[in-house]
Amino acid sequence: MTPAIRNMTSVYFTDETGIWCLFRIGSRIADRLYIGAAGGHFEENEMRSPEKCILREMKEELDLSETDISDLRLRYITSRLKNNEIHRNYYFFARLNTAKSFSSNEGTLHHISYEQMKTLPMPVSARYMMEHYLKEGRYTDHLYAGITEKKETRFVILEEF
């Protein structure tokens, strides 16, 4: 049988010292794990635009709008086969422009140092993406694509040609 497709987005807010992450509570996908500050599944009208999805999720989960952030960039796309579904994750990174406090109805937000990020429990694709980001991705402007396997995600630079 042909696998279904599950498209999801996440956004990580970065600054000079670390990354804002959400400790997710009560999720069937990522319970008691650290994930992006906001994210979720695509709605039907967002299938061609991961950016629309992440902006909607930011509003729903954090009450943040596009004017509250800058440098929103899609940096990673990963694929993984799980439970006869292809899980496709679109990982965004951005900067916060606002000093207003924000919270989430999906869990608790934490500012995590770059060094601490290496030790957090995360979903498998997010963990491999973050390992790559900390070693290489945060120093480049590339868009990376990765295929997640049991013990690693193999990343390549996604180049237009």
Side-chain angles (χ1 to χ4, degrees), residues 27-64:
S27 166
R28 60 189 168 88
I29 301 293
D31 190 35
R32 304 211 173 274
L33 297 171
Y34 285 89
I35 60 169
H41 298 91
F42 283 47
E43 291 185 356
E44 197 63 39
N45 67 332
E46 298 165 339
M47 297 312 277
R48 294 181 47 88
S49 179
E51 186 172 326
K52 281 184 183 177
C53 181
I54 200 59
L55 291 171
R56 176 186 51 78
E57 292 286 354
M58 282 174 29
K59 186 66 176 163
E60 289 176 3
E61 295 179 11
L62 305 172
D63 196 29
L64 292 176

mmCIF file of all heavy atoms in Angstrom, residues 27-64:
data_model
loop_
_atom_site.group_PDB
_atom_site.id
_atom_site.type_symbol
_atom_site.label_atom_id
_atom_site.label_comp_id
_atom_site.label_asym_id
_atom_site.label_seq_id
_atom_site.Cartn_x
_atom_site.Cartn_y
_atom_site.Cartn_z
ATOM 1 N N SER A 27 1.167 15.642 23.597
ATOM 2 C CA SER A 27 1.070 15.472 22.153
ATOM 3 C C SER A 27 1.243 14.003 21.805
ATOM 4 O O SER A 27 2.099 13.322 22.370
ATOM 5 C CB SER A 27 2.161 16.286 21.453
ATOM 6 O OG SER A 27 2.289 15.898 20.114
ATOM 7 N N ARG A 28 0.453 13.522 20.845
ATOM 8 C CA ARG A 28 0.625 12.128 20.440
ATOM 9 C C ARG A 28 1.857 11.951 19.561
ATOM 10 O O ARG A 28 2.365 10.854 19.402
ATOM 11 C CB ARG A 28 -0.626 11.598 19.749
ATOM 12 C CG ARG A 28 -1.018 12.321 18.526
ATOM 13 C CD ARG A 28 -2.405 11.868 18.033
ATOM 14 N NE ARG A 28 -2.876 12.778 17.027
ATOM 15 C CZ ARG A 28 -2.603 12.659 15.733
ATOM 16 N NH1 ARG A 28 -1.903 11.646 15.301
ATOM 17 N NH2 ARG A 28 -3.046 13.543 14.882
ATOM 18 N N ILE A 29 2.387 13.043 18.992
ATOM 19 C CA ILE A 29 3.570 12.966 18.133
ATOM 20 C C ILE A 29 4.850 13.217 18.915
ATOM 21 O O ILE A 29 5.848 12.538 18.733
ATOM 22 C CB ILE A 29 3.474 13.982 16.962
ATOM 23 C CG1 ILE A 29 2.237 13.709 16.118
ATOM 24 C CG2 ILE A 29 4.729 13.972 16.104
ATOM 25 C CD1 ILE A 29 2.256 12.410 15.369
ATOM 26 N N ALA A 30 4.857 14.208 19.805
ATOM 27 C CA ALA A 30 6.089 14.615 20.486
ATOM 28 C C ALA A 30 5.833 14.885 21.963
ATOM 29 O O ALA A 30 6.111 15.966 22.464
ATOM 30 C CB ALA A 30 6.671 15.848 19.804
ATOM 31 N N ASP A 31 5.317 13.921 22.702
ATOM 32 C CA ASP A 31 5.023 14.119 24.117
ATOM 33 C C ASP A 31 6.309 14.091 24.937
ATOM 34 O O ASP A 31 7.137 13.193 24.791
ATOM 35 C CB ASP A 31 4.056 13.038 24.612
ATOM 36 C CG ASP A 31 3.537 13.336 26.004
ATOM 37 O OD1 ASP A 31 3.335 14.522 26.331
ATOM 38 O OD2 ASP A 31 3.332 12.375 26.773
ATOM 39 N N ARG A 32 6.449 15.110 25.774
ATOM 40 C CA ARG A 32 7.591 15.249 26.689
ATOM 41 C C ARG A 32 8.925 15.296 25.947
ATOM 42 O O ARG A 32 9.916 14.716 26.365
ATOM 43 C CB ARG A 32 7.571 14.167 27.748
ATOM 44 C CG ARG A 32 6.250 14.176 28.518
ATOM 45 C CD ARG A 32 6.399 13.730 29.932
ATOM 46 N NE ARG A 32 5.163 13.899 30.659
ATOM 47 C CZ ARG A 32 4.772 15.016 31.277
ATOM 48 N NH1 ARG A 32 5.521 16.076 31.245
ATOM 49 N NH2 ARG A 32 3.624 15.083 31.911
ATOM 50 N N LEU A 33 8.914 15.990 24.835
ATOM 51 C CA LEU A 33 10.109 16.203 24.031
ATOM 52 C C LEU A 33 10.230 17.682 23.700
ATOM 53 O O LEU A 33 9.253 18.417 23.735
ATOM 54 C CB LEU A 33 10.027 15.406 22.719
ATOM 55 C CG LEU A 33 9.970 13.888 22.830
ATOM 56 C CD1 LEU A 33 9.675 13.276 21.464
ATOM 57 C CD2 LEU A 33 11.270 13.336 23.392
ATOM 58 N N TYR A 34 11.443 18.117 23.377
ATOM 59 C CA TYR A 34 11.677 19.491 22.947
ATOM 60 C C TYR A 34 11.538 19.575 21.429
ATOM 61 O O TYR A 34 12.064 18.736 20.705
ATOM 62 C CB TYR A 34 13.066 19.960 23.359
ATOM 63 C CG TYR A 34 13.156 20.276 24.824
ATOM 64 C CD1 TYR A 34 13.483 19.300 25.749
ATOM 65 C CD2 TYR A 34 12.898 21.565 25.285
ATOM 66 C CE1 TYR A 34 13.559 19.584 27.102
ATOM 67 C CE2 TYR A 34 12.977 21.860 26.633
ATOM 68 C CZ TYR A 34 13.310 20.875 27.539
ATOM 69 O OH TYR A 34 13.384 21.164 28.878
ATOM 70 N N ILE A 35 10.827 20.585 20.997
ATOM 71 C CA ILE A 35 10.619 20.812 19.564
ATOM 72 C C ILE A 35 10.743 22.308 19.308
ATOM 73 O O ILE A 35 11.048 23.075 20.218
ATOM 74 C CB ILE A 35 9.243 20.288 19.109
ATOM 75 C CG1 ILE A 35 8.125 20.990 19.872
ATOM 76 C CG2 ILE A 35 9.152 18.774 19.286
ATOM 77 C CD1 ILE A 35 6.749 20.724 19.309
ATOM 78 N N GLY A 36 10.466 22.727 18.082
ATOM 79 C CA GLY A 36 10.472 24.153 17.770
ATOM 80 C C GLY A 36 9.475 24.909 18.624
ATOM 81 O O GLY A 36 8.552 24.326 19.195
ATOM 82 N N ALA A 37 9.636 26.223 18.702
ATOM 83 C CA ALA A 37 8.776 27.052 19.549
ATOM 84 C C ALA A 37 7.312 26.983 19.123
ATOM 85 O O ALA A 37 6.418 27.177 19.940
ATOM 86 C CB ALA A 37 9.267 28.495 19.533
ATOM 87 N N ALA A 38 7.055 26.740 17.861
ATOM 88 C CA ALA A 38 5.695 26.568 17.354
ATOM 89 C C ALA A 38 5.762 25.636 16.159
ATOM 90 O O ALA A 38 6.812 25.488 15.532
ATOM 91 C CB ALA A 38 5.080 27.909 16.941
ATOM 92 N N GLY A 39 4.637 25.027 15.842
ATOM 93 C CA GLY A 39 4.607 24.164 14.671
ATOM 94 C C GLY A 39 3.397 23.275 14.667
ATOM 95 O O GLY A 39 2.637 23.231 15.626
ATOM 96 N N GLY A 40 3.224 22.586 13.555
ATOM 97 C CA GLY A 40 2.092 21.675 13.461
ATOM 98 C C GLY A 40 1.871 21.191 12.048
ATOM 99 O O GLY A 40 2.734 21.342 11.178
ATOM 100 N N HIS A 41 0.717 20.639 11.839
ATOM 101 C CA HIS A 41 0.354 20.029 10.556
ATOM 102 C C HIS A 41 -0.220 21.059 9.589
ATOM 103 O O HIS A 41 -0.887 22.003 9.993
ATOM 104 C CB HIS A 41 -0.680 18.922 10.780
ATOM 105 C CG HIS A 41 -0.159 17.820 11.622
ATOM 106 N ND1 HIS A 41 -0.298 17.802 12.985
ATOM 107 C CD2 HIS A 41 0.521 16.705 11.293
ATOM 108 C CE1 HIS A 41 0.271 16.715 13.460
ATOM 109 N NE2 HIS A 41 0.776 16.027 12.459
ATOM 110 N N PHE A 42 0.024 20.821 8.325
ATOM 111 C CA PHE A 42 -0.509 21.661 7.255
ATOM 112 C C PHE A 42 -2.024 21.534 7.196
ATOM 113 O O PHE A 42 -2.573 20.449 7.393
ATOM 114 C CB PHE A 42 0.023 21.203 5.891
ATOM 115 C CG PHE A 42 1.433 21.604 5.588
ATOM 116 C CD1 PHE A 42 2.455 21.444 6.502
ATOM 117 C CD2 PHE A 42 1.735 22.128 4.342
ATOM 118 C CE1 PHE A 42 3.740 21.798 6.197
ATOM 119 C CE2 PHE A 42 3.033 22.479 4.023
ATOM 120 C CZ PHE A 42 4.044 22.313 4.947
ATOM 121 N N GLU A 43 -2.680 22.641 6.889
ATOM 122 C CA GLU A 43 -4.089 22.603 6.544
ATOM 123 C C GLU A 43 -4.183 22.530 5.025
ATOM 124 O O GLU A 43 -3.222 22.800 4.313
ATOM 125 C CB GLU A 43 -4.805 23.833 7.102
ATOM 126 C CG GLU A 43 -4.884 23.775 8.617
ATOM 127 C CD GLU A 43 -5.686 24.906 9.233
ATOM 128 O OE1 GLU A 43 -6.135 25.814 8.498
ATOM 129 O OE2 GLU A 43 -5.847 24.877 10.462
ATOM 130 N N GLU A 44 -5.353 22.158 4.536
ATOM 131 C CA GLU A 44 -5.534 21.915 3.101
ATOM 132 C C GLU A 44 -5.073 23.085 2.230
ATOM 133 O O GLU A 44 -4.422 22.892 1.210
ATOM 134 C CB GLU A 44 -7.007 21.589 2.820
ATOM 135 C CG GLU A 44 -7.246 20.927 1.495
ATOM 136 C CD GLU A 44 -6.575 19.563 1.363
ATOM 137 O OE1 GLU A 44 -6.555 18.785 2.328
ATOM 138 O OE2 GLU A 44 -6.069 19.287 0.254
ATOM 139 N N ASN A 45 -5.363 24.311 2.634
ATOM 140 C CA ASN A 45 -4.989 25.483 1.831
ATOM 141 C C ASN A 45 -3.513 25.865 1.962
ATOM 142 O O ASN A 45 -3.074 26.825 1.338
ATOM 143 C CB ASN A 45 -5.866 26.690 2.194
ATOM 144 C CG ASN A 45 -5.614 27.178 3.602
ATOM 145 O OD1 ASN A 45 -5.224 26.406 4.481
ATOM 146 N ND2 ASN A 45 -5.853 28.448 3.837
ATOM 147 N N GLU A 46 -2.733 25.120 2.739
ATOM 148 C CA GLU A 46 -1.313 25.427 2.952
ATOM 149 C C GLU A 46 -0.383 24.428 2.274
ATOM 150 O O GLU A 46 0.832 24.536 2.396
ATOM 151 C CB GLU A 46 -1.009 25.431 4.459
ATOM 152 C CG GLU A 46 -1.782 26.475 5.212
ATOM 153 C CD GLU A 46 -1.774 26.252 6.718
ATOM 154 O OE1 GLU A 46 -1.520 25.117 7.178
ATOM 155 O OE2 GLU A 46 -2.046 27.235 7.430
ATOM 156 N N MET A 47 -0.915 23.473 1.554
ATOM 157 C CA MET A 47 -0.104 22.386 1.022
ATOM 158 C C MET A 47 1.032 22.848 0.126
ATOM 159 O O MET A 47 2.054 22.188 0.025
ATOM 160 C CB MET A 47 -0.984 21.369 0.283
ATOM 161 C CG MET A 47 -1.992 20.680 1.191
ATOM 162 S SD MET A 47 -1.275 20.044 2.722
ATOM 163 C CE MET A 47 -0.641 18.504 2.145
ATOM 164 N N ARG A 48 0.897 23.994 -0.511
ATOM 165 C CA ARG A 48 1.960 24.509 -1.376
ATOM 166 C C ARG A 48 2.803 25.580 -0.686
ATOM 167 O O ARG A 48 3.669 26.183 -1.320
ATOM 168 C CB ARG A 48 1.362 25.053 -2.668
ATOM 169 C CG ARG A 48 0.730 23.951 -3.521
ATOM 170 C CD ARG A 48 0.143 24.464 -4.811
ATOM 171 N NE ARG A 48 0.988 25.361 -5.568
ATOM 172 C CZ ARG A 48 1.898 24.998 -6.484
ATOM 173 N NH1 ARG A 48 2.058 23.714 -6.744
ATOM 174 N NH2 ARG A 48 2.600 25.889 -7.131
ATOM 175 N N SER A 49 2.559 25.829 0.610
ATOM 176 C CA SER A 49 3.276 26.899 1.291
ATOM 177 C C SER A 49 3.543 26.573 2.758
ATOM 178 O O SER A 49 2.721 26.890 3.629
ATOM 179 C CB SER A 49 2.504 28.219 1.194
ATOM 180 O OG SER A 49 3.200 29.229 1.888
ATOM 181 N N PRO A 50 4.695 25.981 3.052
ATOM 182 C CA PRO A 50 5.042 25.736 4.456
ATOM 183 C C PRO A 50 5.097 27.036 5.267
ATOM 184 O O PRO A 50 4.814 27.037 6.457
ATOM 185 C CB PRO A 50 6.421 25.077 4.384
ATOM 186 C CG PRO A 50 6.613 24.661 2.991
ATOM 187 C CD PRO A 50 5.701 25.464 2.133
ATOM 188 N N GLU A 51 5.426 28.159 4.605
ATOM 189 C CA GLU A 51 5.492 29.436 5.313
ATOM 190 C C GLU A 51 4.113 29.858 5.825
ATOM 191 O O GLU A 51 3.982 30.334 6.952
ATOM 192 C CB GLU A 51 6.076 30.522 4.415
ATOM 193 C CG GLU A 51 6.292 31.824 5.154
ATOM 194 C CD GLU A 51 7.049 32.839 4.329
ATOM 195 O OE1 GLU A 51 7.936 32.448 3.534
ATOM 196 O OE2 GLU A 51 6.760 34.026 4.493
ATOM 197 N N LYS A 52 3.069 29.665 5.032
ATOM 198 C CA LYS A 52 1.711 29.969 5.497
ATOM 199 C C LYS A 52 1.382 29.136 6.731
ATOM 200 O O LYS A 52 0.777 29.625 7.687
ATOM 201 C CB LYS A 52 0.681 29.677 4.408
ATOM 202 C CG LYS A 52 0.561 30.725 3.355
ATOM 203 C CD LYS A 52 -0.562 30.358 2.386
ATOM 204 C CE LYS A 52 -0.667 31.347 1.257
ATOM 205 N NZ LYS A 52 -1.706 30.967 0.289
ATOM 206 N N CYS A 53 1.775 27.879 6.709
ATOM 207 C CA CYS A 53 1.502 26.987 7.827
ATOM 208 C C CYS A 53 2.211 27.469 9.088
ATOM 209 O O CYS A 53 1.594 27.561 10.151
ATOM 210 C CB CYS A 53 1.926 25.563 7.481
ATOM 211 S SG CYS A 53 1.612 24.371 8.807
ATOM 212 N N ILE A 54 3.488 27.805 8.987
ATOM 213 C CA ILE A 54 4.216 28.186 10.199
ATOM 214 C C ILE A 54 3.731 29.527 10.733
ATOM 215 O O ILE A 54 3.657 29.734 11.948
ATOM 216 C CB ILE A 54 5.757 28.141 10.003
ATOM 217 C CG1 ILE A 54 6.448 28.047 11.372
ATOM 218 C CG2 ILE A 54 6.277 29.335 9.236
ATOM 219 C CD1 ILE A 54 6.065 26.863 12.204
ATOM 220 N N LEU A 55 3.351 30.446 9.856
ATOM 221 C CA LEU A 55 2.811 31.726 10.329
ATOM 222 C C LEU A 55 1.481 31.529 11.056
ATOM 223 O O LEU A 55 1.224 32.153 12.091
ATOM 224 C CB LEU A 55 2.665 32.707 9.168
ATOM 225 C CG LEU A 55 3.980 33.215 8.574
ATOM 226 C CD1 LEU A 55 3.722 34.008 7.303
ATOM 227 C CD2 LEU A 55 4.766 34.033 9.595
ATOM 228 N N ARG A 56 0.635 30.643 10.533
ATOM 229 C CA ARG A 56 -0.623 30.335 11.222
ATOM 230 C C ARG A 56 -0.359 29.684 12.572
ATOM 231 O O ARG A 56 -0.945 30.052 13.587
ATOM 232 C CB ARG A 56 -1.499 29.414 10.356
ATOM 233 C CG ARG A 56 -2.793 28.983 11.068
ATOM 234 C CD ARG A 56 -3.591 27.965 10.276
ATOM 235 N NE ARG A 56 -2.831 26.820 9.824
ATOM 236 C CZ ARG A 56 -2.481 25.779 10.599
ATOM 237 N NH1 ARG A 56 -2.812 25.760 11.886
ATOM 238 N NH2 ARG A 56 -1.809 24.769 10.094
ATOM 239 N N GLU A 57 0.562 28.722 12.600
ATOM 240 C CA GLU A 57 0.879 28.031 13.856
ATOM 241 C C GLU A 57 1.463 28.991 14.889
ATOM 242 O O GLU A 57 1.160 28.896 16.079
ATOM 243 C CB GLU A 57 1.841 26.862 13.597
ATOM 244 C CG GLU A 57 1.234 25.720 12.814
ATOM 245 C CD GLU A 57 0.269 24.868 13.615
ATOM 246 O OE1 GLU A 57 0.124 25.059 14.843
ATOM 247 O OE2 GLU A 57 -0.366 23.991 13.001
ATOM 248 N N MET A 58 2.304 29.930 14.451
ATOM 249 C CA MET A 58 2.865 30.927 15.374
ATOM 250 C C MET A 58 1.750 31.759 15.999
ATOM 251 O O MET A 58 1.785 32.049 17.197
ATOM 252 C CB MET A 58 3.838 31.853 14.646
ATOM 253 C CG MET A 58 5.192 31.268 14.394
ATOM 254 S SD MET A 58 6.274 32.322 13.375
ATOM 255 C CE MET A 58 5.734 33.969 13.712
ATOM 256 N N LYS A 59 0.769 32.146 15.200
ATOM 257 C CA LYS A 59 -0.357 32.946 15.703
ATOM 258 C C LYS A 59 -1.193 32.120 16.680
ATOM 259 O O LYS A 59 -1.531 32.594 17.770
ATOM 260 C CB LYS A 59 -1.214 33.443 14.526
ATOM 261 C CG LYS A 59 -2.303 34.379 14.943
ATOM 262 C CD LYS A 59 -1.714 35.660 15.481
ATOM 263 C CE LYS A 59 -2.780 36.674 15.819
ATOM 264 N NZ LYS A 59 -2.261 37.731 16.685
ATOM 265 N N GLU A 60 -1.524 30.885 16.298
ATOM 266 C CA GLU A 60 -2.360 30.037 17.149
ATOM 267 C C GLU A 60 -1.679 29.662 18.459
ATOM 268 O O GLU A 60 -2.299 29.688 19.516
ATOM 269 C CB GLU A 60 -2.730 28.747 16.408
ATOM 270 C CG GLU A 60 -3.707 28.925 15.284
ATOM 271 C CD GLU A 60 -3.963 27.631 14.524
ATOM 272 O OE1 GLU A 60 -3.432 26.553 14.900
ATOM 273 O OE2 GLU A 60 -4.705 27.696 13.526
ATOM 274 N N GLU A 61 -0.400 29.300 18.386
ATOM 275 C CA GLU A 61 0.278 28.743 19.555
ATOM 276 C C GLU A 61 1.001 29.776 20.403
ATOM 277 O O GLU A 61 1.171 29.571 21.606
ATOM 278 C CB GLU A 61 1.258 27.658 19.119
ATOM 279 C CG GLU A 61 0.569 26.460 18.510
ATOM 280 C CD GLU A 61 1.526 25.381 18.042
ATOM 281 O OE1 GLU A 61 2.729 25.446 18.375
ATOM 282 O OE2 GLU A 61 1.060 24.456 17.358
ATOM 283 N N LEU A 62 1.455 30.886 19.792
ATOM 284 C CA LEU A 62 2.269 31.866 20.517
ATOM 285 C C LEU A 62 1.696 33.280 20.490
ATOM 286 O O LEU A 62 2.246 34.170 21.123
ATOM 287 C CB LEU A 62 3.684 31.911 19.927
ATOM 288 C CG LEU A 62 4.444 30.594 19.856
ATOM 289 C CD1 LEU A 62 5.739 30.775 19.081
ATOM 290 C CD2 LEU A 62 4.720 30.070 21.259
ATOM 291 N N ASP A 63 0.651 33.494 19.715
ATOM 292 C CA ASP A 63 0.094 34.819 19.479
ATOM 293 C C ASP A 63 1.154 35.774 18.922
ATOM 294 O O ASP A 63 1.214 36.945 19.286
ATOM 295 C CB ASP A 63 -0.552 35.405 20.743
ATOM 296 C CG ASP A 63 -1.450 36.591 20.417
ATOM 297 O OD1 ASP A 63 -2.016 36.625 19.296
ATOM 298 O OD2 ASP A 63 -1.575 37.491 21.273
ATOM 299 N N LEU A 64 1.993 35.260 18.035
ATOM 300 C CA LEU A 64 2.997 36.074 17.353
ATOM 301 C C LEU A 64 2.595 36.212 15.891
ATOM 302 O O LEU A 64 2.119 35.263 15.277
ATOM 303 C CB LEU A 64 4.384 35.424 17.418
ATOM 304 C CG LEU A 64 5.056 35.360 18.779
ATOM 305 C CD1 LEU A 64 6.374 34.597 18.669
ATOM 306 C CD2 LEU A 64 5.285 36.746 19.348
#
